[in-house]
Amino acid sequence: MKTTIKKKLLPLSFIALVTISLTVPYQTAISASDADLFLHGIGSNANPQTLFLDGNSPTSTTAKFRDSGSVNFAGGNQWKEIGNWTNTPGSGTLTSLSDFQVWLGLKNSDDIGTKFDLRADIYKNNQLVVSGQTLCMTGITRNPDQAKDTMVSFGTFAPVSFGSTDLLSLKVLTRIGTNPDNTQCGGHFNAVGLRAYFDSVNRPAKFDMTFVSTSVVIFQDDYSSSAGWTQIGSSVTVNSPSHPGVAYFDNAADGGGVDDNRIFKQLPSTLPSIWTGDFDYKFTTSSIPAAYAWALTASNANPEQQGSTGSAILVYHGPEVDQLHIRTWEGLTVADSTAVPISANTDYYVRLEKTPTQLILMAFSDPARTIQIPGSPVTLAIAAPTDFNNLNLIQHSTSLSSGSARTLTAQVDNTKIFTP
């Protein structure tokens, strides 16, 4: 949908804090990363449904766990899945993996004395990269405090290239314990299942990967400092004493054509024709909302006041209802995508991708950005000759032109803009 809107321009009284030449290089070059990937889960501690990998160490003192189905040596001793954890590492090459570490226990104390095999598979999407296994494990108990610290070695494999949207997956499986020749190695012939503990400070299940990244980080901000940010108005802040470490909409009202409430920051360089932007988003309350949770603009004027030659790409919360969609301003022309419904008090992990011909907005339920919520993704075509090649600021803003009865309480965190 496209409409042409006549706008009243605000005086351009804002002064950029830093002037940066467009030839300044991006912040990060191609590099090799050697870091732990920890197993995490969202949901209950018992068999959480959403599983993902990332580089953040667990903080909980209570471990989560996932159970396999029942295992039986009869009928071929089939492998049974415990869980599948995923991550999107970005563009680059996976070159090596360390041993996989996990803690194991029993679902049922009647199975004490059962010996188990454990297998760990690494996938790129549906392609198996490498598999490792540990055979005939003994001493596994029902007591969580005595969970068995177990290692699985992956070995070597040919380097594997990943694109920006490719998934890296860890699938963990079990069966009744065997010898190297696949004969049973003793103990019970069947069991209710095996339990894997993870995602706690004393059960930090993980493995290490060496990944040579070809992504280039253009801009990154965790909002732990207000340095470089300019605040207009009082109800949108960054790293305030009452709301540290986030960009915060504090019951922020739209302007009614008068009041301007927003924060903005200069990017290190003008954005290229292809980029990806990630940010975390959560709102608490809203009233007929119409706010620009995340905006990229050509000048430090209000996102709606970029002028007849300006432009903006916005992630818009609203209008009227709680949803996210793409809005663009190119001169005086506005275009909107369809929307992704969102709910209060829920963490969303948002991604906006730009290509020369379209914008793609995705909202995920997990920090690894592997599980999209209902309604995601949505797209918006970029019509020639528009290319949005003059964007060089990031903003978080209410709508200047909308009525002051529209309010939003929300937070933005962990913005990252990069080339895939």
Side-chain angles (χ1 to χ4, degrees):
M1 175 181 73
K2 287 195 174 183
T3 58
T4 300
I5 298 177
K6 185 176 181 180
K7 301 180 295 177
K8 178 181 178 181
L9 300 182
L10 285 179
L12 297 181
S13 58
F14 314 118
I15 301 174
L17 298 179
V18 181
T19 300
I20 302 176
S21 167
L22 299 186
T23 61
V24 171
Y26 296 148
Q27 296 172 327
T28 306
I30 297 173
S31 61
S33 173
D34 187 24
D36 289 329
L37 283 179
F38 293 91
L39 281 65
H40 297 286
I42 295 176
S44 64
N45 290 332
N47 293 301
Q49 292 300 306
T50 302
L51 304 176
F52 64 95
L53 303 163
D54 70 20
N56 297 318
S57 300
T59 57
S60 173
T61 57
T62 302
K64 293 182 171 62
F65 62 82
R66 287 277 297 190
D67 294 328
S68 76
S70 61
V71 289
N72 196 321
F73 190 77
N77 196 21
Q78 299 297 312
W79 290 100
K80 297 298 180 69
E81 182 176 315
I82 297 173
N84 187 29
W85 288 260
T86 58
N87 178 271
T88 49
S91 298
T93 303
L94 178 66
T95 60
S96 66
L97 296 164
S98 72
D99 293 349
F100 166 53
Q101 181 181 27
V102 68
W103 281 259
L104 301 176
L106 297 173
K107 287 176 62 176
N108 192 312
S109 57
D110 291 342
D111 294 326
I112 290 175
T114 306
K115 300 177 182 181
F116 294 89
D117 293 344
L118 188 71
R119 193 176 96 202
D121 297 339
I122 297 292
Y123 285 86
K124 171 192 171 182
N125 300 324
N126 295 320
Q127 170 194 345
L128 181 64
V129 174
V130 65
S131 182
Q133 57 185 28
T134 298
L135 302 179
C136 200
M137 298 178 300
T138 61
I140 299 174
T141 72
R142 178 65 179 80
N143 188 341
D145 294 333
Q146 298 176 5
K148 185 179 181 68
D149 187 354
T150 305
M151 306 293 287
V152 177
S153 296
F154 288 111
T156 60
F157 54 91
V160 180
S161 296
F162 282 75
S164 61
T165 60
D166 287 329
L167 285 180
L168 182 148
S169 302
L170 167 72
K171 184 179 291 187
V172 182
L173 310 99
T174 189
R175 67 181 182 184
I176 293 296
T178 63
N179 298 305
D181 63 358
N182 288 325
T183 58
Q184 191 195 6
C185 63
H188 299 299
F189 281 84
N190 55 69
V192 174
L194 188 66
R195 174 167 291 173
Y197 295 94
F198 62 99
D199 204 6
S200 75
V201 293
N202 59 348
R203 301 285 187 263
K206 62 184 175 66
F207 62 94
D208 180 276
M209 73 170 181
T210 301
F211 190 83
V212 183
S213 175
T214 55
S215 295
V216 176
V217 177
I218 302 169
F219 174 82
Q220 193 162 4
D221 202 314
D222 64 2
Y223 303 93
S224 60
S225 170
S226 60
W229 288 93
T230 297
Q231 181 177 326
I232 307 294
S234 61
S235 60
V236 183
T237 60
V238 58
N239 194 42
S240 69
S242 55
H243 302 288
V246 295
Y248 198 76
F249 292 73
D250 192 358
N251 196 34
D254 289 351
V258 177
D259 294 326
D260 197 2
N261 285 293
R262 60 192 172 96
I263 55 175
F264 66 83
K265 189 175 187 178
Q266 185 81 42
L267 299 178
S269 61
T270 300
L271 294 181
S273 62
I274 299 174
W275 49 262
T276 298
D278 287 351
F279 65 96
D280 303 345
Y281 187 64
K282 180 179 182 178
F283 81 96
T284 306
T285 59
S286 67
S287 174
I288 51 174
Y292 304 119
W294 197 85
L296 299 169
T297 63
S299 79
N300 60 15
N302 186 279
E304 297 178 347
Q305 300 279 329
Q306 294 296 300
S308 59
T309 60
S311 57
I313 295 176
L314 319 165
V315 178
Y316 185 22
H317 184 156
E320 318 298 337
V321 297
D322 294 315
Q323 58 185 12
L324 296 178
H325 72 273
I326 309 165
R327 167 166 284 187
T328 61
W329 293 77
E330 182 67 15
L332 303 181
T333 301
V334 181
D336 287 301
S337 72
T338 55
V340 182
I342 57 174
S343 300
N345 300 307
T346 303
D347 292 308
Y348 295 103
Y349 305 91
V350 185
R351 171 164 290 171
L352 180 65
E353 293 184 353
K354 181 189 177 296
T355 74
T357 59
Q358 71 172 348
L359 292 158
I360 307 166
L361 179 67
M362 294 164 275
F364 299 85
S365 61
D366 64 308
R369 290 177 169 81
T370 61
I371 303 170
Q372 295 195 51
I373 67 172
S376 175
V378 296
T379 62
L380 182 64
I382 298 174
T386 300
D387 56 9
F388 294 97
N389 64 350
N390 57 354
L391 304 176
N392 59 76
L393 288 102
I394 182 169
Q395 304 204 37
H396 308 293
S397 175
T398 60
S399 172
L400 178 62
S401 62
S402 299
S404 59
R406 300 174 183 268
T407 61
L408 176 67
T409 299
Q411 65 182 43
V412 179
D413 201 2
N414 298 319
T415 284
K416 179 181 177 182
I417 305 173
F418 57 97
T419 59

